[in-house]
Structures are given as C-alpha cells and as structure tokens.
Amino acid sequence: MTDPESYFDNLYSDDPDPWAYRRRWYEKRKRDLTLACLPRQRYSRGFEPGCSNGELSVELAKRCDQLLCTDLNAQAVDLARKRVAGLPGVEVLQRTLPEGWPPGEFDLIVLSELGYYLSPQAWQDVAQRAGKNLTAGGSLLACHWLHPIEGCQMDGPGVHRLLAQALELEPLIHHQEKDFILELWGRPPVGFDLSEVVE
Ligand SMILES: C[S@@+](CC[C@H](N)C(=O)[O-])C[C@H]1O[C@@H](n2cnc3c(N)ncnc32)[C@H](O)[C@@H]1O
C-alpha cells in the first residue's frame, strides 16, 4: 500500500465503521470466534494494534486487566477511545507499526485484519517484535481475510506464512474457512488449563 495514511483517512471520512463491524453478522461471528479461541479466561496485559473503531477492543478489554490499543489513523483512535470509554485499564494511542511497537511485554497480542496493509518487510519486523515481547504462557492470535485486497502487497495466506516463519512460538490453533484464517501461537508453557473455573 503506497500511502496508507490517506487510504485510511478517506475510508474513515466516508464511514466511521468502514468494514461494518457493528452491522455485519460475518464480523460479529468472526469476533466471537476470535474471543472463543483465546486459551485463557483472563490476561494481564493485552495489545491490539490496528484497533480501528474499537469493536473488537471492547470485547478484549473484558478479558484483560490492561489493554493497549493502537491505530495509525487519528479518526480510528478517536472512535476507539469513545467506544471503550469508561472501561477500566484500556488505553488507545495513535501509533504506526512497525516503528510504533510499544515497549514492554504482553501476555496477549491480537493481530486481526492488519498484516496485509504493511509491506512484507514491515510485517516481518512486527512478527519479530511480537514474538520477542510475548511473555511465557502468552498467546498471539492472528486472523486475516483470505482473498486479495486491492493495493496490498500481501494477502492473508502470505501474512500467516510470514508469521509462521518468523515466530519462534508453538502453534496451538489453526482454523481456516472459506473467507478467513485464524491462528494462535503460544510461548511455552502453553495449553488449555483444564482446572480453571469460570469467573
Ligand atoms: C481492518 S481494520 C482492523 C480492526 C480490528 N483489528 C479488527 O479486526 O476488528 C485495520 C486497521 O489497521 C490500521 N492500520 C493499518 N496499517 C497500520 C499500521 N502500519 N500501523 C497501525 N495501524 C495500522 C488501519 O488504520 C485500520 O484501522
């Protein structure tokens, strides 16, 4: 994508919900699946870059003590801040990946519908930072549309291939259907805790 700033500026100026996250059943179902795939009930510190208008952020916030959401687009940041207003422990910042990767470690990183907007080199950089900054026992979830997106150098399968090569983590979930791929990796010790009780 040659000029992501203007591309996303135009999208958000036309519609505050450009991918119809609030209206479309497809998106609600994908979001529910994303949340159901997270192995743990609670996370200490989550990171969702490319948070858009905060529709997934609201749900992630319910599972995280602290959640950092970022987006390169000022309008998206403003919309996400409004969406998560009043929820404890959530911060939304305007940052561009890969250089805007935040300091510190996370036990949850969610890379959802983001990778194809970056160049392969920049995405590789993101993957390396994500792998390095995931705590022991932490989960990294990625979910992407499988079909080509105009103006983007990579498609969803390419985005996930690159992640699988760059992440030195254990693959835990691979879910693919007609339109999207969802994968989850963990840093050992990983797995589902069968003794955990519902909060
Ligand atoms: C399709 S939305 C994804 C929303 C959310 N993660 C979800 O899946 O529900 C992609 C968002 O990524 C943001 N974005 C694209 N490239 C980015 C980059 N290099 N750094 C940060 N945000 C970026 C866009 O502004 C847009 O809001």
Side-chain angles (χ1 to χ4, degrees):
M1 174 154 299
T2 44
D3 184 2
E5 274 83 4
S6 347
Y7 174 83
F8 290 109
D9 266 346
N10 290 336
L11 271 187
Y12 285 106
S13 302
D14 286 349
D15 182 351
D17 190 13
W19 294 275
Y21 289 137
R22 289 176 198 160
R23 301 187 297 276
R24 204 173 269 161
W25 169 250
Y26 167 85
E27 292 296 343
K28 158 95 171 77
R29 176 181 169 267
K30 180 160 60 73
R31 198 158 50 241
D32 289 347
L33 195 61
T34 296
L35 296 160
C37 283
L38 301 181
R40 282 162 39 197
Q41 200 169 182
R42 304 257 352 134
Y43 289 88
S44 303
R45 187 170 186 239
F47 178 39
E48 186 205 1
C51 63
S52 183
N53 54 9
E55 213 53 38
L56 176 58
S57 323
V58 171
E59 301 304 327
L60 293 173
K62 295 177 190 163
R63 304 276 292 272
C64 298
D65 297 336
Q66 286 181 299
L67 177 69
L68 174 61
C69 305
T70 62
D71 202 289
L72 67 72
N73 184 271
Q75 294 172 81
V77 168
D78 195 41
L79 290 161
R81 280 190 183 138
K82 288 188 176 121
R83 190 71 183 89
V84 301
L87 292 177
V90 191
E91 188 177 23
V92 187
L93 299 174
Q94 188 177 1
R95 296 281 185 279
T96 300
L97 292 183
E99 60 277 8
W101 188 275
E105 289 197 312
F106 300 93
D107 58 354
L108 175 65
I109 297 173
V110 176
L111 306 173
S112 177
E113 309 289 3
L114 173 68
Y116 18 65
Y117 300 118
L118 282 75
S119 69
Q121 294 75 13
W123 187 240
Q124 166 114 17
D125 189 337
V126 166
Q128 280 161 355
R129 288 176 201 241
K132 225 167 46 198
N133 293 296
L134 190 72
T135 61
S139 315
L140 186 153
L141 183 144
C143 179
H144 291 86
W145 175 248
L146 281 173
H147 314 294
I149 298 181
E150 208 185 324
C152 295
Q153 289 182 57
M154 284 189 292
D155 57 11
V159 164
H160 280 241
R161 256 195 314 277
L162 211 150
L163 278 176
Q165 285 159 10
L167 291 171
E168 291 176 3
L169 301 173
E170 195 168 318
L172 281 179
I173 295 176
H174 174 94
H175 172 90
Q176 186 166 332
E177 46 187 84
K178 183 174 161 281
D179 293 318
F180 69 89
I181 176 168
L182 187 159
E183 291 183 292
L184 185 133
W185 291 265
R187 179 176 302 294
V190 294
F192 296 86
D193 179 358
L194 300 186
S195 64
E196 190 172 356
V197 294
V198 177
E199 279 182 15

